[in-house]
Amino acid sequence: MKNSLLFTLMLASASASAFAAPVTYDIDPTHTFPSFEADHMGISVWRGKINKNSGKVVLDREAGSGHVDIDIDLASIDFGNDALNEWARGKDFFDVARFGGTAHYRGKLTGFNAGAPTEVLGELTLHGVTKPVALKLNKFKCIPHPMLKRELCGADAAATFNRADFGLTAGKDYGFSMDVALRIQVEAVAAK
């Protein structure tokens, strides 16, 4: 009797684990800011950020899987310089009137270690072009949100890509490096 009870409890526990559902998290736009660094003629590094974004993360820590789906509002680009912001939105760079004001990133969470992903293998669609861009997750952590009483996850992500691959070649003839470094702080709250 004791052994059958133990077996039943083990089976129930295994079944519960096998059917653990993935959790969907909504990106918190007030705590998520993709920032970037870009060369200026080899003499300085210009930095900026994107102020508006939205999306979802689906995470199944037990299965070691998940994916992200993020929209980035290019019209909210912020170099801290109004004239440069306007130029970046214009026809010589993002050309939001022609290509739309949204970049899109979709990727798969991978490299799980102790239930936490270490990388996102995905694709960035920018300026009408889609190319692979992998994000390294330098930090990933989930905690109970102290006010919302739902799970809150956050990450520090980084990547580098060549902007010329997306047709963004402004400054290339003047010796600008086409490499752009991304640094992304992101937080997401479990959906209701």
Side-chain angles (χ1 to χ4, degrees):
M1 175 75 174
K2 187 176 181 182
N3 286 341
S4 66
L5 179 59
L6 182 59
F7 177 75
T8 302
L9 288 173
M10 287 173 49
L11 184 60
S13 175
S15 295
S17 295
F19 295 111
V23 178
T24 299
Y25 300 83
D26 295 320
I27 296 295
D28 179 351
T30 63
H31 289 84
T32 302
F33 296 100
S35 61
F36 55 88
E37 298 178 348
D39 174 63
H40 186 248
M41 295 193 296
I43 61 170
S44 66
V45 175
W46 287 9
R47 294 175 176 88
K49 62 183 179 136
I50 305 293
N51 289 324
K52 294 180 184 174
N53 51 76
S54 61
K56 296 194 179 297
V57 176
V58 176
L59 175 64
D60 187 334
R61 283 193 290 267
E62 288 185 30
S65 65
H67 61 272
V68 301
D69 194 345
I70 310 293
D71 285 324
I72 303 146
D73 181 356
L74 299 175
S76 73
I77 192 167
D78 186 357
F79 283 97
N81 177 313
D82 291 340
L84 186 54
N85 297 344
E86 191 64 32
W87 173 85
R89 290 188 287 264
K91 65 178 179 58
D92 293 325
F93 204 67
F94 288 134
D95 198 354
V96 297
R98 179 177 172 203
F99 293 102
T102 304
H104 188 82
Y105 184 79
R106 175 174 282 162
K108 178 181 174 184
L109 298 167
T110 65
F112 279 75
N113 183 7
T118 61
E119 186 176 37
V120 184
L121 298 178
E123 291 185 326
L124 175 64
T125 300
L126 173 65
H127 205 243
V129 178
T130 301
K131 295 281 185 181
V133 174
L135 296 172
K136 179 182 179 202
L137 300 181
N138 298 313
K139 183 177 183 178
F140 182 92
K141 182 177 180 179
C142 296
I143 63 169
H145 193 290
M147 292 171 282
L148 298 177
K149 308 303 181 200
R150 290 181 275 146
E151 189 169 50
L152 168 70
C153 294
D156 174 61
T160 301
F161 70 92
N162 185 314
R163 65 183 172 91
D165 291 345
F166 295 89
L168 299 169
T169 58
K172 187 174 185 177
D173 294 341
Y174 296 107
F176 284 53
S177 169
M178 295 291 102
D179 290 335
V180 175
L182 294 177
R183 301 295 179 262
I184 305 166
Q185 65 190 53
V186 58
E187 294 183 17
V189 181
K192 290 183 181 181

